[in-house]
């Protein structure tokens, strides 16, 4: 029987920090790169046992010493968890800095990361609420909201449904795929059965390959602000029949006619009520992406002691949280 390994409790914080800085929390990217199922990566990140081969592969991808992370070296040289240090240059892809600078403890370098993570978590919670409401209104099996980062021309979803009660983080160029076509044309794109026959379905096929899902019908809806600028694209996938048996296969549960004109009219009435929340999410998403990019750039190192930045992140989190509370009270 193949031996199992798990991240030793003393090194969980180190792994999480390296993971956040190197992968920006995007589990799906590493899973795809290593050709592993996403649940395996998630088990690794929370310290659960996985097959030794997988454990070593993930550690190598993160430039970590797998024996150390598994706690094998602790058997020979005990190390206090408070003494665990992080090589931040390796974690964010930078060259090592020499001289008298000492490596910082996790508690010291993680300040900005904590504030950023708190903001992103609240964004996920907000978008989860909105996607579920949108999906319920149109009886879509899955829903994603892609926010536009105007600076990088990227459509990013930090709460794409993975179908297993979790979420995916997906970035696509704003000029690719069906969501990209809706973003570029600022027009509603309604694709009936079968989406795969549409030449713009390359992104849907790519994501389906990662998740093991199958997209049959799709409605991509660009959300515009009062100045007619794009804020987000809501992507509704696989219209469900009015009456379904949850035990049936997906193909049996979907309505092959796809989303109707009546669905479009219904969704048009819904979008104004979420516009302000999406605009706030977009601003926070753009800030988060900027910080993520800067943290991986030689010329844009985030100063972990920048109290002004921490305060800004915390203030934006409070704003989103306030909007989320209002949304919860409104929708029940």
């Amino acid at each position: 029987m193949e031996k199992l390994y798990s991240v030793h409790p003393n090194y969980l914080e180190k792994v999480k920090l390296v993971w956040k800085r190197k992968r920006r929390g995007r589990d799906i990217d590493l899973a795809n790169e290593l050709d592993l199922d996403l649940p395996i990566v998630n088990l690794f990140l929370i310290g659960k046992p996985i097959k030794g081969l997988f454990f070593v592969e993930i550690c190598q991808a993160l430039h970590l010493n797998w024996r150390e992370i598994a706690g094998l070296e602790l058997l020979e040289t005990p190390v206090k968890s408070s003494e665990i240090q992080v090589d931040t240059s390796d974690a964010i892809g930078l060259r090592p800095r020499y001289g008298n600078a000492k490596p910082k403890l996790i508690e010291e370098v993680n300040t900005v990361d904590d504030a950023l993570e708190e903001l992103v978590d609240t964004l996920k919670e907000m978008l989860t609420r909105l996607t579920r409401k949108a999906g319920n209104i149109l009886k879509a099996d899955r829903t994603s909201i892609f926010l536009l980062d105007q600076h990088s021309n990227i459509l990013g979803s930090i709460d794409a449904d993975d179908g297993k009660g979790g979420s995916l983080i997906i970035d696509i160029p704003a000029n690719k795929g069906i969501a990209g076509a809706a973003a570029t044309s600022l027009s509603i794109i309604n694709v009936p059965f079968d989406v795969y026959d549409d030449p713009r379905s390359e992104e849907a096929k790519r994501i389906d390959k990662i998740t093991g899902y199958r997209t049959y019908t799709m409605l991509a809806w660009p959300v515009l602000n009062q100045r007619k600028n794009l804020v987000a694209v809501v992507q509704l996938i696989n219209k469900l029949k009015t009456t379904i048996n949850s035990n049936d296969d997906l193909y049996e549960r979907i309505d092959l006619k796809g989303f109707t004109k009546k669905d479009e009219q219904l969704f048009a009435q819904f979008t104004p009520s979420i516009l302000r929340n999406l605009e706030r999410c977009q601003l926070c998403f753009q800030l988060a992406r900027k910080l993520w990019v800067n943290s991986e750039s030689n010329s844009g190192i985030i100063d972990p002691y920048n109290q002004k930045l921490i305060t800004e992140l915390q203030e934006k989190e409070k704003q989103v949280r306030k909007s989320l509370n209002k949304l919860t009270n409104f929708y029940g």
Side-chain angles (χ1 to χ4, degrees):
M1 181 180 295
E2 185 174 351
K3 192 165 185 178
L4 303 179
Y5 291 102
S6 61
V7 177
H8 191 279
N10 284 6
Y11 295 104
L12 272 175
E13 288 302 319
K14 177 177 181 178
V15 166
K16 290 177 182 178
L17 177 58
V18 173
W19 174 255
K20 279 193 298 183
R21 288 186 175 276
K22 192 172 183 63
R23 297 289 174 181
R24 305 204 311 255
R26 298 176 53 167
D27 307 36
I28 193 169
D29 282 355
L30 183 57
N32 191 32
E33 176 184 318
L34 297 175
D35 196 24
L36 296 176
D37 291 334
L38 187 58
I40 294 176
V41 177
N42 290 334
L43 287 174
F44 170 85
L45 293 173
I46 61 175
K48 297 297 183 181
I50 62 174
K51 289 185 178 181
L53 178 61
F54 297 155
F55 186 89
V56 172
E57 287 180 348
I58 296 174
C59 285
Q60 288 176 342
L62 296 177
H63 304 293
L64 295 169
N65 180 329
W66 73 269
R67 289 183 56 83
E68 176 190 17
I69 298 304
L72 300 181
E73 295 183 356
L74 290 176
L75 299 176
E76 301 174 359
T77 308
V79 179
K80 296 180 180 179
S81 59
S82 61
E83 295 174 347
I84 299 172
Q85 297 178 332
V86 177
D87 180 355
T88 57
S89 63
D90 175 66
I92 59 178
L94 302 176
R95 295 178 181 176
R97 287 178 288 178
Y98 301 97
N100 296 325
K102 297 181 179 179
K104 303 298 181 183
L105 297 178
I106 287 174
E107 290 77 10
E108 294 175 342
V109 302
N110 209 26
T111 311
V112 170
D113 278 346
D114 279 346
L116 180 57
E117 183 177 22
E118 186 177 3
L119 171 61
V120 172
D121 284 346
T122 305
L123 276 176
K124 284 184 180 181
E125 193 175 347
M126 166 68 83
L127 292 172
T128 296
R129 186 77 180 177
L130 295 176
T131 53
R132 286 177 181 170
K133 184 63 179 179
N136 290 340
I137 287 175
L138 265 64
K139 289 188 66 65
D141 189 50
R142 293 194 183 181
T143 308
S144 299
I145 294 179
F146 290 90
L147 299 168
L148 176 67
D149 181 352
Q150 298 170 330
H151 304 293
S152 62
N153 201 35
I154 287 288
L155 287 173
S157 173
I158 59 175
D159 190 53
D161 183 7
D162 69 355
K164 301 175 183 177
S167 61
L168 307 175
I169 299 178
I170 302 170
D171 281 354
I172 61 174
N175 60 352
K176 292 189 66 176
I178 295 172
T184 303
S185 65
L186 301 183
S187 301
I188 301 164
I189 298 180
N190 192 338
V191 185
F193 182 87
D194 182 355
V195 165
Y196 279 15
D197 293 334
D198 192 297
R200 300 166 296 184
S201 64
E202 69 276 4
E203 284 298 315
K205 293 176 181 176
R206 180 181 70 85
I207 296 170
D208 282 358
K209 184 177 180 181
I210 295 171
T211 63
Y213 189 68
R214 177 58 158 93
T215 300
Y216 290 104
T217 65
M218 181 187 297
L219 177 64
W221 191 287
V223 179
L224 311 179
N225 60 22
Q226 294 182 346
R227 298 180 296 279
K228 303 302 179 184
N229 295 324
L230 181 71
V231 175
V233 174
V234 180
Q235 185 173 270
L236 300 114
I237 299 173
N238 289 341
K239 168 80 174 184
L240 297 173
K241 295 176 181 177
T242 304
T243 304
I244 60 174
N245 185 335
S246 58
N247 294 324
D248 287 342
D249 292 336
L250 175 62
Y251 184 82
E252 298 297 326
R253 290 185 283 120
I254 67 167
D255 187 339
L256 296 182
K257 296 189 297 293
F259 297 95
T260 65
K261 289 295 181 183
K262 185 176 180 180
D263 289 328
E264 293 183 17
Q265 294 170 2
L266 188 60
F267 200 69
Q269 298 173 10
F270 171 68
T271 51
S273 67
I274 64 172
L275 175 58
R276 186 174 181 181
N277 288 324
L278 286 180
E279 285 185 300
R280 183 161 289 159
C281 287
Q282 182 193 34
L283 291 174
C284 295
F285 173 68
Q286 290 179 162
L287 173 61
R289 277 193 58 84
K290 181 179 179 181
L291 293 177
W292 280 331
V293 171
N294 284 348
S295 70
E296 295 175 351
S297 167
N298 288 346
S299 59
I301 303 172
I302 295 178
D303 179 5
Y305 307 102
N306 189 335
Q307 188 59 45
K308 182 178 179 181
L309 176 57
I310 296 170
T311 301
E312 181 181 2
L313 288 168
Q314 292 174 333
E315 181 59 32
K316 288 190 179 299
E317 192 278 333
K318 289 179 182 178
Q319 292 173 0
V320 177
R321 174 64 59 183
K322 184 177 180 181
S323 297
L324 177 61
N325 292 336
K326 288 182 179 179
L327 189 68
T328 301
N329 292 334
F330 181 75
Y331 287 135

